[in-house]
Structure formats: C-alpha cells, structure tokens
Amino acid sequence: MTSNSTPTSTSHGIGLNAVVKATGGIPLNGRVQVQGSKNIALHLYAAALLADAPVVLAGAPDILDTDVCARILTATGTPARFWGGRLSITPASTLAPVIDPLLGGRVRTTAVLAAAVLARAGQVTFPTPGGDAFCQRRIDRHLAAMRAAGAEVTGDGHLIRAVCAHGGVRPFHVDVATPYGPSLGATVTAMLLAARAGGTSLITNPSIEPEVTETGRFLTQLGITVAFDDTGLHVVGSDRTGGGTFAVAADRIEAATLIMAAAATGGRVQLEGVTTSALPEGLRQTLGAAGVHLADEPSGLVASVPGELQAVRTATGPHPDLPTDAAPQLASLLTQARGTSAVDERVYPRRDTHAAGLRHLGADVHATGTTVHVRGPASLRAAHVEAGDIRAVTALLIAALAAHGASTIAGMYHLRRGYGNLPAKLAALGADITIDAEAA
C-alpha cells in the first residue's frame, strides 16, 4: 500500500469501485454456508500475536479485513498467510513494535493489535483506527488500559506511542465501561495486555460479547487463565504461551443478513454452519415479533415467513440483546412490515447512515435522535444508492432485492470488508444480482 486512500481492487480481482446490480421482486430460496465471524476473527488475529508457537485460525473469513490484518502481522515480523479459509501465523523471531500506519488506518481493531504488540515488546507506535465511520468511535478506554498496564501514552492526533518504562506490562485493574455500555474492543485490549503481565489483572464492567468470550477461549488454549465472576474478568498472565489450531465461530451478523434478505423478499433460507442458539436472544426475539420463523434442522438453521411481516419496536444493546451490526439490515426488512417500527440505537451515539439510501429506494424512513422509524409496507422502487459503511451498504442491498426494477448499489469495498462474497450467496438463493466491475 502506498496511500491511505480506498484500495481499487480486491484479492479476487474485482474492482472495489464496482457496483452491485440487483433486480428485485424475486423471493430468495435455498441453502448457503455461513462464513466465519468477521468481528471475532479480527480480535483473534490480534490475540495470535501473543503466541509463542504457530497458530492456525480455521474458518477465517475471506474478507478484505483479513488481508489487511495478515499484512499488519507480517509487517511486525509475524508472518501470516491466508489460504483455503485458514490463517496461519508464525511467531516473530524479532517483533517490530509498529502497526503500519497505512494498513492500521483501514481497520477498527488497530488499538487491539497495538495492545498485543505492546504486551510482547513493551512499546508500540500505531495510528488511530480506520474502518467504518458511521459515528465517532472513541479509543479512550483502550488507552486507559495501556496506561493501567504501566505504559506512558502520547500522541499527535495521527500516531499514538505507548511505552512501558520498565520494559514490560504489569498486572493492573481497569474499568472498560462507557456511557453506552461495556466497550467490546477495550475489553479485548485489556485481556491481551493482561495475558503477558506477570500476575492477575482485573477488568471491571467487561463486555460479554462473543468476540470477548471467543478471545478468552483462544487465550485459554494458549495457556492463559481467563475467568469471569461477579467482580469482572480476571486474567492471569504468563511470559510463555502455546499455539495450535482454533476454529473461528460462525458469523452471526452474516446469518442475520441472509435471514433478513430472504424474509424481505418473502423467501425461505437454510443456513449451514449455524443454529438458532448462535443468534443472540434479542435478535431471535425481534425476528420472531416481526413474523420471521426460525427452526433448527439437521443441516442447519431454517428461516421463513409463514404470514405477513409485522412492525416491531426494539433497541440494540450489548450481548445478548439485538446486535447493533444487524440494525441497518433490520430497517430494510421492516420496510416490508405492516405498521410503524422503531429501532433505537443504544450501543453507539447514533446509527442511521442507511436511512437516506432507503428513502431513495422509496422507503418511509426517518431518524429522530438515536431512533430510526420505519413505516410499511412500502412499495420500493429501483434507484442508484450508496453508503459509507459495511452494514449500511448491506441494508441498501437487501432493500434493492425487495424493490421493483433494477437498482445499483455502490460500495463493493465496504461489502468486501465484512462479507466474503455476499452477492454470490444471494445469487445462489435465486437473486438476480451481478457485479459491474467497470463502474466507478
């Protein structure tokens, strides 16, 4: 990479300035495999920096963020190679204590990666995170964890430097609560720092999202003691860790996306590699209230809409509530539900970057403060739409599949950051969908 601008091509040779063309009105039916979780994998990539033996992450998603993280790890002296759905990581012989500024500016987990390097090397320089920018996303709790672990943290607004005065992190106590609930990323940052501190660290008000619990399971496999109790999350650090193979859990957000795409078009989908228990309770309850029926069969989860979709009033929240990353797609589904729905955002200050695009497609959608209101059922019409983050672009794609006529959706770069090949999966379910690789 030679600049911090958006890349122009994917590892599959598809231009990232391409558009998706989708002709709506076709019920989606069939069976597809759910990919490994994007968000879980990104945190495991950082945790793998702590390993003193080779690590293989099986089921790693084939997405742009995997490629970026593999390049970040390799640049630190920790060779990482993605092949056949597996990311193989070899421990560094000499760790370079820098997160590449250009690559680090492309993903949200930059501070988590930096924490792992700081834990190993006692110092790190890293850029402010990149990734989705649907609202301001602070890293103050990450930096608080670094300071608690003994690092002096300085920055100039672009690059941040953390240095431990005595050469290594120390056991600590940090609170990762924010006004919007526990910080998922800061919880993992604190876990990785604690994993290399000689002694027991305590993280109070920790997140219990699957990203955290799966990272905890991985650290346990490496030989680190990780335990939750009523006082918080306890981590007993070690100066030596193991390695091995670890399977990335199924992506609950891709599963939700495919379910809602099928439901919005009046179809039925069978998802391999995931069961209803893998979906957060808040998501299951919201889909059920909207009229989406979920059932487990021997080959996977089946989602269908036996009747008319109904409006719902719901709110995002920490696990096991409705995931914030499913809220934009839910808004698209609710354009086809009878009545007025309300989806309140309680994880971030706001999340409504999908609303304008949905209105271009004919939806009756508006945001009031943190709440997105949707009135339906709407007769959606084809349009050219675009958005600037993963889930917003996905929401517009779902709405286009429910619309009359052929729409174009700009944002292949954002889709490829989070989904291995969502358009192909939708096409396998019967969608009339193509990629125009020449469009800008």
Side-chain angles (χ1 to χ4, degrees):
M1 296 285 181
T2 57
S3 74
N4 201 33
S5 60
T6 300
T8 58
S9 64
T10 75
S11 58
H12 298 290
I14 299 172
L16 293 176
N17 290 327
V19 298
V20 180
K21 291 187 175 181
T23 300
I26 302 171
L28 302 186
N29 291 282
R31 176 187 301 177
V32 289
Q33 179 76 33
V34 175
Q35 71 178 20
S37 170
K38 164 194 177 287
N39 291 335
I40 291 173
L42 293 183
H43 291 88
L44 293 176
Y45 300 158
L49 280 163
L50 301 180
D52 289 314
V55 166
V56 175
L57 296 173
D62 185 8
I63 58 176
L64 286 180
D65 280 11
T66 291
D67 176 66
V68 171
C69 286
R71 294 167 68 185
I72 289 173
L73 266 62
T74 299
T76 69
T78 309
R81 180 174 181 266
F82 180 78
W83 181 258
R86 297 162 73 88
L87 187 69
S88 301
I89 302 158
T90 304
S93 55
T94 302
L95 189 69
V98 177
I99 302 299
D100 183 280
L102 302 181
L103 296 172
R106 298 196 192 284
V107 290
R108 284 302 314 165
T109 52
T110 306
V112 184
L113 289 157
V117 173
L118 177 62
R120 286 292 300 268
Q123 61 177 304
V124 66
T125 301
F126 62 102
T128 53
D132 289 336
F134 52 81
C135 71
Q136 183 181 22
R137 301 171 75 177
R138 299 168 60 88
I139 61 168
D140 57 306
R141 290 293 83 203
H142 296 261
L143 303 184
M146 293 179 185
R147 291 189 178 100
E152 179 182 353
V153 181
T154 57
D156 61 7
H158 300 287
L159 289 177
I160 300 168
R161 181 167 171 77
V163 180
C164 293
H166 300 292
V169 292
R170 66 191 182 203
F172 59 91
H173 171 200
V174 70
D175 188 342
V176 294
T178 78
Y180 303 98
S183 170
L184 184 166
T187 302
V188 178
T189 281
M191 290 172 69
L192 302 190
L193 293 167
R196 280 286 179 165
T200 301
S201 298
L202 174 62
I203 305 162
T204 53
N205 296 304
S207 167
I208 58 168
E209 297 283 345
E211 288 76 7
V212 172
T213 56
E214 287 298 291
T215 301
R217 285 205 314 116
F218 175 67
L219 291 176
T220 299
Q221 177 174 306
L222 296 187
I224 305 299
T225 300
V226 179
F228 287 89
D229 66 17
D230 291 341
T231 62
L233 176 55
H234 302 261
V235 181
V236 182
S238 173
D239 61 359
R240 252 345 253 184
T241 61
T245 299
F246 189 85
V248 179
D251 195 318
R252 63 195 186 280
I253 305 303
E254 185 184 58
T257 297
L258 292 165
I259 289 169
M260 288 189 261
T265 61
R268 179 181 184 274
V269 66
Q270 186 165 357
L271 303 180
E272 298 178 349
V274 69
T275 62
T276 56
S277 63
L279 303 182
E281 181 181 0
L283 175 61
R284 298 196 306 266
Q285 290 179 345
T286 299
L287 290 173
V292 180
H293 181 258
L294 304 176
D296 287 322
E297 295 190 0
S299 55
L301 183 158
V302 175
S304 60
V305 183
E308 187 176 54
L309 289 168
Q310 300 296 322
V312 297
R313 301 187 69 86
T314 188
T316 65
H319 186 79
D321 293 345
L322 175 68
T324 179
D325 277 357
Q329 303 93 303
L330 176 63
S332 291
L333 171 65
L334 295 174
T335 66
Q336 303 306 297
R338 183 164 300 281
T340 299
S341 298
V343 182
D344 189 34
E345 177 57 44
R346 297 181 183 172
V347 175
Y348 294 111
R350 64 184 302 153
R351 189 161 196 168
D352 59 6
T353 51
H354 52 291
L358 290 179
R359 286 194 293 272
H360 281 302
L361 287 159
D364 186 349
V365 177
H366 69 277
T368 304
T370 61
T371 304
V372 173
H373 305 271
V374 185
R375 188 169 67 179
S379 180
L380 302 180
R381 59 181 181 272
H384 173 79
V385 290
E386 61 183 315
D389 61 87
I390 298 171
R391 311 307 175 183
V393 171
T394 310
L396 301 183
L397 178 55
I398 292 174
L401 294 173
H404 301 287
S407 298
T408 55
I409 305 98
M412 176 56 70
Y413 170 67
H414 297 292
L415 278 180
R416 286 288 294 124
R417 279 194 55 234
Y419 299 92
N421 205 342
L422 184 61
K425 290 184 179 181
L426 294 171
L429 295 173
D432 183 349
I433 187 169
T434 58
I435 306 297
D436 187 342
E438 302 301 320

